[in-house]
């Protein structure tokens, strides 16, 4: 049986995901087979495994840190919000349907067998499993029949490390208040406290740490400094949406209400002199060098939102002058029409932006697969991408076909492997400045992102000082090592290993 340890937080955004990733990298470096686990994740950033199943991106990031292939058993329940009060419920990678928050809360204990089965499967791959909680274990309205925090810890008899975020302030109240709201049995599970995201001289915290230890009767295992990492975070709490800086090369991502899989653009954030701005209105759009339309959990609704606030008109005015690239739902929006005969989203049909000669019909069955290939004969402004290899995945609810007069397309990927009438990969319009693709992760591998930025720099007649950019996966590997080195320095790892030696599985 695998040894287990669980990271819980005093609130959402306390840093649980990165701490789990860091511990996974440390255990891997020390020679153990390690895997992450989160019983329930709520996110619009998702991933398709080699099994063709859907899971949250946070556990994919943690699996990368652990050096293993992402498996859906690492995240058996994924909730993808479709509105303010409802979500699509995905269990072990398959869609179970849409439920309101109230209905899901009433029936979530029925998923405990699925959680246990996924955990038992994961045990066959790992010596150590690092479990991540969600939000706070002290949310009174959510504690009944909990399956993701203390309820999950009880299922597998896991010791718990409780993390507080000092960057937001009030960390001592966070940690002590959380302990006070736990039951006696739950408090006994908490074996250590961690103060996260500290800036400055940590010795000034000594009086507070002494008080925490005395009143909480739980040792503080470390004060972790604020780290300037660009690894993926929980999509609902990311601060990247607030970035306003305009670089020498400026990329604008349309930030509609149900934006999803915006991890597609993380690679560009690693590049010096390149800015990635998420814009919600015409005023914020400005004059970017490239406009991205990202994925969406409600494509028709988000297209209507763009139409109502003027962003659709602004993007169409920019067409022909500024390259526009749509991914997944953004790709569907760029077409002539989106039809929804089965009411997968909103029903009926809606005119698209009419910038690409394609038409999409939404379907009940979700298309999920990993895909690899080589870009062939890409024309237009990004013709320099021709020949580049890519690795990514597709996840969408629609089938897209050409609707042009002659059915021609300027650029395509693995054309021979696709149906003659299918517009499944990279396509462009006749001007070669409007592009669409269903492939998430298209820009991550090799030279694709770098060539795109160099092309945009050439269009502006400027030279970038950044030079040759690395493969994004190489950058992430270096950051995982940096994360592990920092945690080794600031956490009492010998005590954490002691907890693992004592841990038992029921």
């Amino acid at each position: 049986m695998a040894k287990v340890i669980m990271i819980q937080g005093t609130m959402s955004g306390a840093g649980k995901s990165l701490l789990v990733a860091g511990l996974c990298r440390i255990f891997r470096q020390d020679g153990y087979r390690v895997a992450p686990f989160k019983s329930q994740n709520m996110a619009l950033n998702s991933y398709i495994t080699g099994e063709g199943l859907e899971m949250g991106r946070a556990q994919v990031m943690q699996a990368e840190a652990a050096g293993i292939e992402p498996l859906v058993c690492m995240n058996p329940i994924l909730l993808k919000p479709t509105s303010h009060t409802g979500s699509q419920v995905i269990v072990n990678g398959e869609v179970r349907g849409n439920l309101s928050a109230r209905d899901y809360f009433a029936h979530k204990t029925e998923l405990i067998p699925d959680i246990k089965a996924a955990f038992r499967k994961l045990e066959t791959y790992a010596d150590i499993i690092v479990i991540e909680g969600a939000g706070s274990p002290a949310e009174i309205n959510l504690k009944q029949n909990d399956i993701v925090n203390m309820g999950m810890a009880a299922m597998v008899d896991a010791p718990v490390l409780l993390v507080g975020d000092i960057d937001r302030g009030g960390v001592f109240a966070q940690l002590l208040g959380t302990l006070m709201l736990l039951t006696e049995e739950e408090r006994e599970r908490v074996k250590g406290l961690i103060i996260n995201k500290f800036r400055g001289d940590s010795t000034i915290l000594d009086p507070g740490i002494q008080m925490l230890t005395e009143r909480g009767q739980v040792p503080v295992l470390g004060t972790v400094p604020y780290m300037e990492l660009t690894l993926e975070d929980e999509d609902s709490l990311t601060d990247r949406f607030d970035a306003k800086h305009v670089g020498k090369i400026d990329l604008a991502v349309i930030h509609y209400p149900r934006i999803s899989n915006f991890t597609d653009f993380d690679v560009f954030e690693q590049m010096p002199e390149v800015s990635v701005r998420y814009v919600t209105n015409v005023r914020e759009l400005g004059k970017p060098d490239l406009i991205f339309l990202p994925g969406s959990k409600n494509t028709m609704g988000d297209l209507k939102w763009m139409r109502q606030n003027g962003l659709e008109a602004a993007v169409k005015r920019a067409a022909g002058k500024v390259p526009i690239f749509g991914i997944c739902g953004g790709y569907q929006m760029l077409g002539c029409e989106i039809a929804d005969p089965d009411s997968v989203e909103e029903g009926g049909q809606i005119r698209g932006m009419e910038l690409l000669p394609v038409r999409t019909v939404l379907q009940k069955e979700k298309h999920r697969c990993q895909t690899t290939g080589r870009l062939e004969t890409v024309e237009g402004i990004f013709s320099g991408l021709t020949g580049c290899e890519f690795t990514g995945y597709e996840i969408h609810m629609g089938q897209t076909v050409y609707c042009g007069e002659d059915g021609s397309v300027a650029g395509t990927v693995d054309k021979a492997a696709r149906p003659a009438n299918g517009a499944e990969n990279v396509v462009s319009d006749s001007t070669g400045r409007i592009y669409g693709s269903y492939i998430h992760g298209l820009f991550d591998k090799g030279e694709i992102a770098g060539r795109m930025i160099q092309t945009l720099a050439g269009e502006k007649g400027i030279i970038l000082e950044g030079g040759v950019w690395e493969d994004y996966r190489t950058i992430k590997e270096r950051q995982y090592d940096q994360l592990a080195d920092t945690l080794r320095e600031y956490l009492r790892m010998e005590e954490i290993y002691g907890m693992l030696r004592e841990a038992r599985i029921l």
Side-chain angles (χ1 to χ4, degrees), residues 314-376:
V315 171
K316 294 184 74 170
R317 283 195 299 270
K321 308 168 191 172
V322 176
I324 299 169
F325 207 126
I327 301 290
C328 199
Y331 167 34
Q332 295 174 344
M333 293 181 193
L334 289 173
C336 303
E337 181 184 75
I338 303 171
D340 186 15
D342 296 318
S343 296
V344 173
E345 290 186 354
E346 301 190 354
Q349 61 187 40
I350 184 173
R351 173 180 54 82
M353 297 175 70
E354 299 178 321
L355 295 176
L356 282 177
V358 297
R359 177 181 185 272
T360 299
V361 178
L362 300 183
Q363 299 173 320
K364 292 181 179 179
E365 189 72 19
K366 183 179 288 190
H367 182 80
R368 308 184 308 257
C369 71
Q370 289 190 351
T371 181
T372 61
R374 184 184 300 272
L375 296 168
E376 297 179 357

Side-chain angles (χ1 to χ4, degrees), residues 1 3 16 19-20 22 38 81 94 156 165 177 247 254 265 296 304 311 324 375 391 407 413 416 426 432 458 470 476:
M1 288 185 178
K3 298 294 186 180
K16 298 183 295 293
L19 289 178
V20 168
K38 187 169 185 175
E94 302 273 6
V156 297
D165 176 5
I254 304 301
F265 315 111
S296 166
K304 290 177 182 177
L311 272 172
I324 299 169
L375 296 168
T391 299
V413 179
V426 176
E470 295 178 281
K476 288 196 288 185

Side-chain angles (χ1 to χ4, degrees), residues 8-10 134-139 143 149-150 162 178 181-182 186:
Q8 295 185 20
T10 58
S136 162
E139 298 290 349
K143 285 191 66 173
N149 285 308
M150 286 300 178
L162 181 64
T178 300
L181 290 171
L182 299 178
E186 291 169 342

Side-chain angles (χ1 to χ4, degrees), residues 155-198:
M155 281 186 221
V156 297
D157 195 23
V160 173
L161 301 180
L162 181 64
V163 182
D165 176 5
I166 195 171
D167 194 50
R168 298 189 190 185
V171 72
F172 301 115
Q174 292 175 37
L175 291 166
L176 278 178
T178 300
L179 290 173
M180 290 172 61
L181 290 171
L182 299 178
T183 66
E184 182 177 350
E185 181 181 358
E186 291 169 342
R187 281 196 299 273
E188 289 177 355
R189 291 201 175 277
V190 182
K191 303 302 182 183
L193 307 177
I194 298 173
I195 296 174
N196 196 25
K197 305 182 188 178
F198 182 72

Side-chain angles (χ1 to χ4, degrees), residues 427-446:
V427 301
S428 70
D429 71 332
S430 59
T431 70
R433 298 184 77 87
I434 313 294
Y435 294 82
S437 176
Y438 271 130
I439 303 173
H440 294 295
L442 176 66
F443 311 119
D444 289 356
K445 184 177 180 180

